[in-house]
Amino acid sequence: MQKTLFFLFTLTFFIGFSQEYRFIEYSVKDGLAQSQVTSVAQDKSGYIWIGTQGGLSRFDGVNFKSYSTNDGLVGNSITKLRFDKENKLWIASNGGVSVMSNVGITTYRFSKINAGLTVSDISFYKGKIYLSTNGNGLFEVVNDSI
């Protein structure tokens, strides 16, 4: 009987004082570019960058600023975000990659024959930039072109 009461008391204590997590939902109405988030990365300044199926958003903890093809991105369907060692944001999407730096956005588009490809990931290795795709293997960025 004592063991049963002790067990029930202990169980009640832990249930009553268990940690609860709270989640805050951010959506398009808050300024997010689109609701289907595909990638998230944080820069050295602390901004959170969110890749979505409808563009790119930067979040400062309060407000969103969004970017799209109208701002110079190769495509709006973002598949991967990566920062390089210079804190440039590489943005993988359909048709190529965009690079955002403090001077603006630079785009690297696939040639016409590969224009339908989507970049699925970006890797930096020994000073080279590699792009994996959704069906045509691996590409290397050479002389600022793919």
Side-chain angles (χ1 to χ4, degrees), residues 17-79:
F17 294 101
S18 65
Q19 187 174 16
E20 254 184 65
Y21 292 98
R22 186 170 160 241
F23 296 94
I24 299 172
E25 177 184 357
Y26 297 101
S27 67
V28 175
K29 69 178 184 232
D30 300 303
L32 190 61
Q34 204 260 356
S35 62
Q36 293 173 293
V37 176
T38 56
S39 189
V40 178
Q42 185 174 16
D43 66 20
K44 291 178 182 176
S45 298
Y47 289 109
I48 302 293
W49 294 85
I50 303 105
T52 74
Q53 290 290 318
L56 175 71
S57 294
R58 184 189 75 185
F59 185 56
D60 64 8
V62 178
N63 298 302
F64 289 93
K65 177 169 174 47
S66 294
Y67 303 86
S68 69
T69 53
N70 294 335
D71 300 296
L73 297 181
V74 170
N76 285 330
S77 184
I78 310 300
T79 54

Side-chain angles (χ1 to χ4, degrees), residues 123-130 140-141:
S123 292
F124 308 103
Y125 181 70
K126 293 187 177 184
K128 295 182 180 183
I129 304 156
Y130 295 97
E140 180 182 343
V141 178

